[in-house]
Amino acid sequence: MTVRIPLPMARPSAPLVACTECGKCCTYVSVGINDPNSVANVSDILWYLYHDQVSVYRDGDAEWSVVFETRCRHLQGDLLCGIYADRPGICRDFDNTTCEVNQPEGGRTYTSAEEFLVWLRETKPRLYRKVADRYVPAALRARVEGGRPPSGAEPAAPGAAP
């Protein structure tokens, strides 16, 4: 007698979104930046986020970039490229199987300094404190801190000033 053991099957992946259905990659310019692992790098990220139509993105591989929202002049209304045969190398190298629409896991976009600082305060409290003391306006710092210590922060000594 043969005993059949059911094996789990991999779920079929969702069909890829074709470039002609999306065109998102043609609506911004993204440039790699340094990780926010120093006061100087965090200060740079704050400067980016103080600008309109600029965001900062951390992908699933922990690579950081600054993103400028700007539509390519050659992206047509039908989401096709008006200069496809003569497009730049960066466009030719683009692979829609790895774009953020088809591989969204792990990425995070920061659209404001406040949103980024909340993340920094929660994940890197010592670095946040160094930056906050020197580079964050008081009103913004108050919104970020909201009267609570960050998780993972060391508790203040009894009787110590906050």
Side-chain angles (χ1 to χ4, degrees), residues 96-110:
N96 76 313
T97 64
T98 60
C99 74
E100 72 267 23
V101 173
N102 288 318
Q103 297 290 323
E105 61 275 335
R108 182 165 178 188
T109 299
Y110 301 91

Side-chain angles (χ1 to χ4, degrees), residues 13-14 27 38-39 42 48 62 78 81 89-90 103 111 121 136 140:
S13 60
T27 63
S38 70
V39 171
V42 170
Y48 303 141
D78 60 1
C81 178
I90 196 169
Q103 297 290 323
T111 59
R121 184 171 186 255
V136 178
L140 176 56

Side-chain angles (χ1 to χ4, degrees), residues 153-162:
E154 295 132 9

Side-chain angles (χ1 to χ4, degrees), residues 3-22:
V3 176
R4 295 185 185 247
I5 301 172
L7 297 175
M9 300 292 290
R11 291 183 179 202
S13 60
L16 291 177
V17 174
C19 292
T20 55
E21 297 173 27
C22 176

Side-chain angles (χ1 to χ4, degrees), residues 121 128-129 133 141 145 147-150 154-162:
R121 184 171 186 255
Y128 167 80
R129 181 51 42 209
D133 289 344
R141 192 168 53 244
E145 294 176 6
R148 355 179 269 274
E154 295 132 9

